Amino acid sequence: MRLSQYFMPTLRENPKEAEIVSHRLMLRAGMVRQASAGIYSWLPLGYRVLRRIEQIVREEQDAAGWQELLMPTIQSADLWKQSGRYDDYGKEMLRIQDRHEREMLYGPTNEELITEIFRNGAKSYRDLPKGLYHIQWKFRDEVRPRFGVMRGREFLMKDAYSFDLDYDSAKRAYQRQFVAYLRTFARLGLKAIPMEADTGPIGGDLSHEFIVLAETGESEVFCDREFLDHDVLEADFNYQDDAAVQKVVDYSTSLYARTDEKHDQARFEADVPEQRRYVGRGIEVGHIFYFGTKYSEPLGALVTTPDDQTVPIHMGSYGVGVSRLVGGIIEASHDENGIIWPESVAPFHVGLVNLRIADADCTAACDKLYGQLVEAGVEVLHDDRDESAGAKFASMDLIGLPWQLVVGPRGLKNGVVELKRRGGNGEREELSPEAAIAKLVA
């Protein structure tokens, strides 16, 4: 994509309404624009990142054995009344009426609807176990939406649901999602720490939230530094190997990790050597729950057992804030110049910078490099604008692409271009155009 043709309305100054880094940088980089309080339009650059995150979440859900479907954003209030949550949920639920004065709502979550779907499609133990998920926009009418996409009213979420015959099989499903979350966040370039959590309005008696460390996080966290050094991305992990799943869960839950709501200072000091104690702040990016028969009983989701008894299905739900993750990654990965995207979610792999548009040799070299990169399958954003070198460097640092390939008249005379890595130490090296291409394609 040529930047002269790309819709990327960047801002030079920090918007006054943006209180945290991710909100400021997303607005400045032209990723989003506010439509109304807590509701955002995703512009091309931001939408590319959102889709990459969504795809990684989808791939790991599929690998864990869950099947994707899509439920509507608007739900009937009747189901929520059957479960008992319609009045309990609070003002965050947007309640509406259709033209026939039927009570409806804009779904903040989908436990009731997915239970009805499964109730109508499963009658026997032979229909279990199953796991279903979807990636859908949600709405919660926050009284004070803040921090951009980190705490908006409309947000994109992956929510998955498990259906099992009894507690033991339901717990195995819970543990597979536990591992899927660890692997998903690691693939996104994040270190997410599982922490015991309250179940809140979802209900249930087993819950973990996954926290990404960031100075601007809403929660204070206390954990064992050993977890920060642990690599969860084993090659060819088999989710159907219960022993392998159990091993990951046992290790991850053996280390102390609590938010301030659950923190026990005495236990922290007893369980964690002083040199391994970490105290900081974090952002919740995922939450998993086992809630047993909380929804299946009132909604009549029943199956027959092998001995012809009729029992309610055991269920769990598993949420990832897909749009929230965009902000969470920025909070965890940025510097004073802008965003630093992990390669797995970057909107483009490399920014190609033509330092002097008026120079015929520079333009010819950039056009050739651009064609070679595209042909090799490398996603490249070519800054072919008639702007100063300083403005181009500032834009590239702001949007945070992993690599910058810089072409200038002085370098071309010596047969080299400059390749800069945006992350790490920002190392730069001069290479022949062919060597630069080879490194970017590798």
Side-chain angles (χ1 to χ4, degrees), residues 218-222 258-264 281:
E218 68 267 64
S219 302
E220 188 172 15
V221 298
F222 305 80
R258 303 278 185 91
T259 64
D260 47 354
E261 292 180 349
K262 291 273 191 175
H263 176 57
D264 182 334
R281 303 201 69 80

Side-chain angles (χ1 to χ4, degrees), residues 123-126 165 302-311:
K123 303 299 180 184
S124 164
Y125 71 92
R126 295 184 180 88
L165 185 62
L302 311 174
V303 294
T304 56
T305 67
D307 55 0
D308 289 327
Q309 296 185 47
T310 301
V311 297

Side-chain angles (χ1 to χ4, degrees), residues 91-123:
K91 294 183 177 180
E92 288 76 24
M93 180 190 289
L94 182 63
R95 295 164 170 84
I96 54 181
Q97 285 188 338
D98 65 14
R99 66 171 63 194
H100 302 291
E101 298 187 351
R102 289 178 295 224
E103 292 181 291
M104 312 291 285
L105 58 96
Y106 194 121
T109 183
N110 283 77
E111 281 77 16
E112 283 80 2
L113 185 54
I114 195 68
T115 303
E116 182 197 39
I117 290 170
F118 205 76
R119 176 189 71 192
N120 295 333
K123 303 299 180 184

Side-chain angles (χ1 to χ4, degrees), residues 150-343:
M150 294 291 292
R151 192 173 179 179
R153 293 194 296 165
E154 185 183 58
F155 52 94
L156 187 63
M157 185 173 178
K158 184 282 301 181
D159 42 323
Y161 302 90
S162 58
F163 305 88
D164 290 277
L165 185 62
D166 53 32
Y167 173 78
D168 288 339
S169 55
K171 188 175 180 180
R172 288 194 292 272
Y174 182 96
Q175 291 178 329
R176 287 198 298 275
Q177 282 287 356
F178 186 105
V179 176
Y181 275 43
L182 290 177
R183 291 177 59 83
T184 296
F185 298 130
R187 288 182 61 189
L188 295 173
L190 296 170
K191 176 64 72 172
I193 304 172
M195 302 191 178
E196 294 179 27
D198 291 322
T199 56
I202 300 293
D205 58 5
L206 179 60
S207 177
H208 285 87
E209 58 186 349
F210 290 77
I211 302 289
V212 170
L213 301 181
E215 294 178 1
T216 53
E218 68 267 64
S219 302
E220 188 172 15
V221 298
F222 305 80
C223 69
D224 191 326
R225 289 181 182 274
E226 182 179 327
F227 193 91
L228 304 180
D229 299 325
H230 180 63
D231 181 12
V232 301
L233 286 177
E234 297 179 35
D236 300 321
F237 184 82
N238 181 6
Y239 280 102
Q240 305 312 310
D241 184 341
D242 290 341
V245 170
Q246 188 71 55
K247 180 180 177 181
V248 175
V249 174
D250 287 347
Y251 172 80
S252 301
T253 55
S254 69
L255 300 174
Y256 189 95
R258 303 278 185 91
T259 64
D260 47 354
E261 292 180 349
K262 291 273 191 175
H263 176 57
D264 182 334
Q265 184 65 25
R267 181 180 167 187
F268 185 47
E269 294 177 0
D271 290 357
V272 185
E274 185 173 0
Q275 68 274 16
R276 293 203 334 238
R277 294 174 197 159
Y278 176 87
V279 180
R281 303 201 69 80
I283 299 166
E284 181 190 333
V285 290
H287 207 150
I288 62 176
F289 306 85
Y290 161 74
F291 43 69
T293 60
K294 175 180 171 64
Y295 299 95
S296 57
E297 285 196 65
L299 292 171
L302 311 174
V303 294
T304 56
T305 67
D307 55 0
D308 289 327
Q309 296 185 47
T310 301
V311 297
I313 296 169
H314 286 248
M315 295 174 58
S317 71
Y318 316 91
V320 168
V322 177
S323 54
R324 182 179 173 87
L325 272 166
V326 180
I329 292 170
I330 294 172
E331 292 292 331
S333 184
H334 68 272
D335 62 15
E336 66 276 7
N337 296 318
I339 303 164
I340 303 173
W341 289 117
E343 294 202 20

